[in-house]
Amino acid sequence: MNPITTSLTFWLLVSSAVSVAGDAALPGSHPLTQSQSGAVLISELRCGACHAGVAPSSIPERTAPDLTEAGGRISPAFLKQFLAAPAIAHPGTTMPDLFASKTQAQREQIANALTHFLVAQSKVVFQSNAPEIADAETGKTLYHTVGCVACHGPQDADAALATLPTRNEFLDDEELAEENETKIEPVQPIAIPIGHVAKKYSVQSLGEFLFQPLHVRSSGRMPDMKLTRDEALAIANYLVGEQQHAAAIVPEAELVSQGGQYFRELNCAACHGVADIQAAALIGSLQDANLDQGCLSDNSQHSPRFHLDDAQRIAIQASLREPAVADSDTLIVAKTLTAFHCTACHVRDDFGGVADAYNLFFTAVEQNLGDDGRIPPPLTLVGAKLRPEWMKKVLFDSESVRHYMATRMPQYGTANLHHLPDVLSRLDVLDSPEMNIPKSENRNQAENEREKMVRAAGRELLGDKGVNCVACHQFNGKAAMANQGIDLMTSFQRLQPNWFNRYLRDPGAFRPRTVMPTAWPDGVASFTSILDGDTDQQIEAIWYYLSLGTSAADPSGVRSVNTKLTVGNHAETYRGRSRVAGFRGIAVGLPERLNYAFNAETGTLSAIWRDEFVNVNWSGQGAGDFNPAGPAITLAQDVSFARLADGDAPWPLMPVMTKEAPINPDPLYPKNLGYQFRGYEFDENFVPTLLYRFGEIEIQDRSVVTGSDDQQALSRSLQLASPVPQTVWFRALTGDVVQESERVFSSGKVRLTIPATQFNLRRMDDESQQSELLLQLKLPQGKSNLEFIYEPIK
């Protein structure tokens, strides 16, 4: 097999630690048959962009990269080489060779003209690397821990893999005997080549791509790894290193014109949208085509060449020869997990999982949690495990509860996996004994007494006088005594009751080799003094107690270690839940002894206070809750940005949960309004710039102290980058708002100076007599800046 053929084989590999590979057209562990694999290839290679007669894919089709700013993102020298011979310049690319019938001189001439055309479309000029832009060693560590290895493999692979144990070294004698008996064949791990990136990108352009890859590759096959800008630059510096790039070219008008003509003639617009050039009409139907010629031939002189191997050709032919039928839910899930490489990290039924060769690159800070702490969880029965709303938060809103796991859950884009939660919910069904937990409303005396009994039993079971779940699980942000496992308080929000019931009875049936014990072996309760040892009632009691949410009192054994964080000569940032900043709070302490809190769940500055920084209930990084160490000025925690029909339209308010109604009725509230948190980056004094989006608007949010010691204020700068002119609204202040002058307003203990823009000060409702200050922001295309001054009133 020649190198070009082999490279495409690497393109869609799926790793496995549990089963044999599926059809050879898609190497790796997958359940797809030959024709099903062919259908995935047809979709991934975009055969329907040129040909009629291609059945619609049951999963979102792979799209080509956006070339609008390719000239500023990609080295012109590499771009020319790639266009002349894609599979040589970028092994593993899905871009076909369009010049099969051309001589080498003709290839170079056409590629040169196309390069000038594409560079001319870009508003940004390609920049070579600047020295010391990021720490390559930090990038190396990030690359090998956050999940890049799962699809691209370790760099310096020979040295790295030589130190790794074989599969059998992870197994005990009983498991080894079982493996030998079943004769499981090893599956080649995924290895999408990235050796070309050093020639393709500069550190800056690769860093920007890694920070938000869905902007360029919207179909999500390269997912967003939730990197901050600094992290993305560090990985880029590691991958690009000291690579020297040729100077940027100045587009020549004649070549730009020729390149545009080639772009039309070659029908590049069938996959790439550039300069409003329209794609050509579809050519003959593949249903009537000679499947041994054209694109499926290795020697055609008139068709694009995809460098397919024999298994891939046969699979595509098999798919095209089969009559089109609707895919079942099972097949839709299998195709989705294969196309998006979910099985590089996750097991589903009998396929997928972390490859043996990459196992040790999956790490955790809580070593005692074993594989549970470092290996992404199985997807078997995940539709029965997770509530649909929580699954959407994980897939589309970066939600995570495994703070101890270094590997990150990628974000593939809502448009690409929007179908998956509903399909999994239909497909995965799990029965269990019904849980008869107390109702929250209209209880009679007998029901009230039962509620007290169940509540007390649930608390005792969770504590150190019962099952002692709090020994290994955090509880409501408070640290466990031993291991810092998933916070138990998230269970009711995340999990479906049937799965919870079955899992507690036999954790090993759902996650083999888990360190999670069971207090009900073979369905028999270990603690017979609680609820008479009735297994069903005990599990019901735990589920009910967790349903109480933050109103549930701490079980016995939970210890709140109160630690005060102080601020020295540079800023301090702490993340955790907080009454002043919600579940995803960020506290920032500035050296001038003025502090603020930001609710990352909704994207709003939610509190300001002076002097001491915060108290946290234990010292573990990223865990535990925090609260201001002094009196705080609290602000609204609803979303700050919204699109309103007009200045009188109601503001979209954050859902309110109560003891009686503890489930969030709208868990995707911020996401549905267009908000997404993107992390933060620090300057040399560790002052953070918060990064988030509202729709397509990229926002950088930075606050520093201004004014004298006697009259300090928080100067908040918002930089908004909008791709198009548009109007949005910003909710600046709520409460008993009073206008003091043209741009100065006050409410309670804070005075706010707003930028010069149109505003609407209005009553929130007739009952509370509270007001809200809304700013109408008419954003131009490109960047604009807004400054707000928050002055605490003594």
Side-chain angles (χ1 to χ4, degrees):
M1 185 179 293
N2 65 57
I4 295 177
T5 303
T6 304
S7 69
L8 186 58
T9 300
F10 283 151
W11 161 62
L12 199 58
L13 289 169
V14 182
S15 67
S16 171
V18 297
S19 68
V20 297
D23 182 75
L26 301 177
S29 171
H30 63 81
L32 302 181
T33 66
Q34 186 178 75
S35 63
Q36 292 165 356
S37 297
V40 170
L41 282 170
I42 288 170
S43 175
E44 296 296 287
L45 297 174
R46 292 184 53 81
C47 301
C50 293
H51 291 279
V54 176
S57 175
S58 61
I59 63 175
E61 191 176 51
R62 184 188 184 107
T63 58
D66 185 345
L67 299 183
T68 305
E69 296 294 336
R73 183 174 66 253
I74 302 172
S75 160
F78 176 86
L79 188 56
K80 180 179 177 181
Q81 294 170 2
F82 176 74
L83 291 170
I88 294 176
H90 177 180
T93 184
T94 57
M95 168 79 176
D97 184 349
L98 299 175
F99 309 144
S101 62
K102 306 298 183 183
T103 66
Q104 184 62 31
Q106 289 172 324
R107 284 175 176 268
E108 293 180 0
Q109 187 271 326
I110 297 172
N112 187 45
L114 283 169
T115 299
H116 278 255
F117 170 72
L118 292 173
V119 169
Q121 311 309 309
S122 176
K123 299 182 178 65
V124 180
V125 177
F126 181 81
Q127 299 290 332
S128 296
N129 299 334
E132 305 300 328
I133 193 169
D135 181 2
E137 282 302 311
T138 298
K140 180 178 181 179
T141 300
L142 285 166
Y143 175 90
H144 289 96
T145 55
V146 300
C148 309
V149 165
C151 287
H152 298 292
Q155 299 303 292
D156 304 320
D158 292 340
L161 297 183
T163 65
L164 294 180
T166 64
R167 167 187 185 83
N168 294 340
E169 291 180 61
F170 290 105
L171 306 180
D172 58 30
D173 292 341
E174 182 178 343
E175 291 170 320
L176 181 57
E178 181 181 348
E179 179 177 270
N180 289 336
E181 182 178 345
T182 55
K183 297 181 180 180
I184 296 178
E185 297 294 332
V187 176
Q188 188 176 16
I190 196 168
I192 299 174
I194 55 172
H196 66 288
V197 299
K199 296 180 180 180
K200 180 177 180 179
Y201 297 102
S202 68
V203 171
Q204 295 97 322
S205 66
L206 179 57
E208 188 62 30
F209 170 70
L210 293 175
F211 177 61
Q212 41 193 9
L214 298 180
H215 277 201
V216 175
R217 297 176 179 266
S218 61
S219 59
R221 271 57 172 185
M222 169 62 196
D224 186 333
M225 295 303 297
K226 299 185 287 192
L227 301 170
T228 66
R229 269 199 167 89
D230 287 344
E231 289 175 335
L233 280 172
I235 293 176
N237 202 23
Y238 167 61
L239 295 177
V240 175
E242 301 298 322
Q243 177 72 38
Q244 298 297 313
H245 294 282
I249 65 172
V250 178
E252 299 177 16
E254 183 176 354
L255 288 174
V256 170
S257 178
Q258 291 177 8
Q261 186 61 34
Y262 285 130
F263 197 91
R264 293 177 177 85
E265 290 176 359
L266 295 168
N267 196 24
C268 302
C271 294
H272 302 279
V274 173
D276 296 326
I277 297 176
Q278 299 299 310
L282 296 180
I283 58 178
S285 172
L286 287 180
Q287 300 301 320
D288 304 322
N290 184 337
L291 299 182
D292 295 320
Q293 298 182 3
C295 300
L296 293 178
S297 169
D298 198 30
N299 55 16
S300 171
Q301 295 298 307
H302 304 290
S303 300
R305 288 187 184 176
F306 285 92
H307 303 288
L308 302 170
D309 64 27
D310 290 341
Q312 291 165 331
R313 288 192 193 90
I314 294 170
I316 292 173
Q317 291 168 345
S319 177
L320 291 173
R321 285 170 179 148
E322 283 195 354
V325 294
D327 287 348
S328 66
D329 284 346
T330 300
L331 186 52
I332 291 172
V333 170
K335 285 183 175 181
T336 301
L337 300 188
T338 301
F340 288 92
H341 304 310
C342 307
T343 48
C345 293
H346 297 278
V347 170
R348 168 103 175 158
D349 299 328
D350 294 327
F351 64 96
V354 173
D356 297 339
Y358 301 165
N359 191 294
L360 293 189
F361 292 103
F362 287 75
T363 61
V365 296
E366 292 291 332
Q367 299 296 327
N368 291 336
L369 293 178
D371 283 355
D372 285 2
R374 64 186 190 87
I375 302 296
L379 298 183
T380 304
L381 288 174
V382 68
K385 174 184 178 179
L386 298 180
R387 295 183 187 270
E389 59 270 21
W390 187 268
M391 196 183 308
K392 292 175 183 177
K393 288 175 74 71
V394 172
L395 290 175
F396 311 137
D397 203 25
S398 303
E399 192 60 74
S400 175
V401 294
R402 292 176 171 82
H403 59 88
Y404 43 77
M405 188 177 292
T407 304
R408 302 178 186 180
M409 172 63 194
Q411 298 292 285
Y412 295 90
T414 305
N416 300 310
L417 294 184
H418 66 90
H419 64 289
L420 196 56
D422 290 341
V423 176
L424 287 169
S425 295
R426 291 195 304 267
L427 186 60
D428 295 344
V429 178
L430 190 64
D431 294 327
S432 79
E434 183 179 355
M435 288 204 277
N436 182 27
I437 64 175
K439 297 180 173 59
S440 59
E441 298 177 354
N442 301 321
R443 289 199 294 251
N444 57 34
Q445 183 62 33
E447 290 170 333
N448 283 332
E449 292 301 320
R450 179 175 181 273
E451 191 276 339
K452 291 178 183 179
M453 179 185 67
V454 172
R455 180 191 291 254
R459 184 181 183 188
E460 184 177 5
L461 283 162
L462 288 171
D464 58 5
K465 303 298 189 295
V467 180
N468 202 16
C469 304
V470 297
C472 295
H473 288 277
Q474 298 176 18
F475 187 86
N476 202 14
K478 298 179 177 65
M481 293 302 295
N483 308 314
Q484 305 304 321
I486 293 176
D487 195 318
L488 292 171
M489 198 52 68
T490 69
S491 301
F492 194 78
Q493 298 174 359
R494 296 186 299 116
L495 304 176
Q496 300 206 45
N498 286 4
W499 190 91
F500 179 85
N501 192 311
R502 292 277 293 273
Y503 182 77
L504 259 59
R505 294 169 188 268
D506 188 4
F510 292 85
R511 191 154 190 178
R513 301 168 67 192
T514 181
V515 298
M516 170 83 173
T518 178
W520 302 273
D522 297 322
V524 179
S526 302
F527 295 86
T528 57
S529 62
I530 304 173
L531 295 176
D532 298 324
D534 187 302
T535 295
D536 291 342
Q537 289 191 50
Q538 287 184 356
I539 294 176
E540 288 171 1
I542 292 175
W543 183 246
Y544 176 66
Y545 198 72
L546 295 175
S547 77
L548 299 176
T550 55
S551 68
D554 292 345
S556 174
V558 174
R559 299 181 183 180
S560 179
V561 180
N562 195 33
T563 303
K564 179 174 287 187
L565 298 186
T566 59
V567 179
N569 295 326
H570 58 74
E572 296 286 349
T573 300
Y574 183 83
R575 296 184 67 171
R577 72 179 72 194
S578 172
R579 62 176 173 80
V580 300
F583 186 76
R584 299 172 70 185
I586 299 175
V588 178
L590 299 170
E592 297 86 350
R593 297 175 67 82
L594 189 60
N595 318 290
Y596 71 91
F598 182 84
N599 187 325
E601 183 77 12
T602 58
T604 188
L605 192 152
S606 58
I608 303 171
W609 66 99
R610 296 178 182 274
D611 300 325
E612 299 296 330
F613 185 31
V614 293
N615 293 321
V616 298
N617 65 1
W618 74 300
S619 58
Q621 180 181 5
D625 55 4
F626 72 82
N627 283 301
I633 302 166
T634 57
L635 307 172
Q637 296 189 47
D638 311 288
V639 292
S640 290
F641 288 90
R643 287 186 170 83
L644 303 179
D646 53 54
D648 296 324
W651 193 261
L653 300 178
M654 183 167 58
V656 176
M657 291 174 286
T658 64
K659 176 181 175 181
E660 291 73 24
I663 300 178
N664 189 341
D666 186 9
L668 294 181
Y669 157 73
K671 177 72 174 180
N672 289 337
L673 295 170
Y675 168 80
Q676 183 183 22
F677 185 63
R678 295 284 299 150
Y680 47 79
E681 54 192 25
F682 297 106
D683 66 11
E684 64 278 6
N685 295 316
F686 297 96
V687 175
T689 296
L690 305 168
L691 310 172
Y692 49 98
R693 293 179 187 149
F694 173 63
E696 295 183 339
I697 303 170
E698 300 285 343
I699 302 171
Q700 298 185 27
D701 188 339
R702 185 174 187 269
S703 296
V704 296
V705 175
T706 187
S708 63
D709 291 342
D710 295 335
Q711 197 172 5
Q712 285 184 334
L714 195 69
S715 175
R716 182 187 185 191
S717 174
L718 295 178
Q719 183 184 90
L720 298 92
S722 175
V724 294
Q726 57 183 304
T727 298
V728 298
W729 290 81
F730 178 80
R731 195 171 186 232
L733 197 60
T734 64
D736 186 13
V737 183
V738 176
Q739 182 172 4
E740 297 185 358
S741 64
E742 181 180 1
R743 293 172 49 207
V744 178
F745 300 80
S746 63
S747 175
K749 292 287 188 177
V750 67
R751 180 176 291 113
L752 174 65
T753 302
I754 66 172
T757 188
Q758 296 181 20
F759 65 86
N760 183 13
L761 178 59
R762 66 183 191 181
R763 289 285 176 86
M764 294 177 62
D765 55 63
D766 295 333
E767 296 180 2
S768 67
Q769 301 298 304
Q770 297 291 293
S771 303
E772 56 187 357
L773 175 63
L774 307 183
L775 308 188
Q776 187 179 30
L777 307 179
K778 297 182 178 180
L779 303 178
Q781 183 178 12
K783 294 181 179 179
S784 53
N785 293 282
L786 303 170
E787 184 179 16
F788 299 84
I789 306 295
Y790 298 83
E791 179 188 349
I793 301 173
K794 297 181 180 179

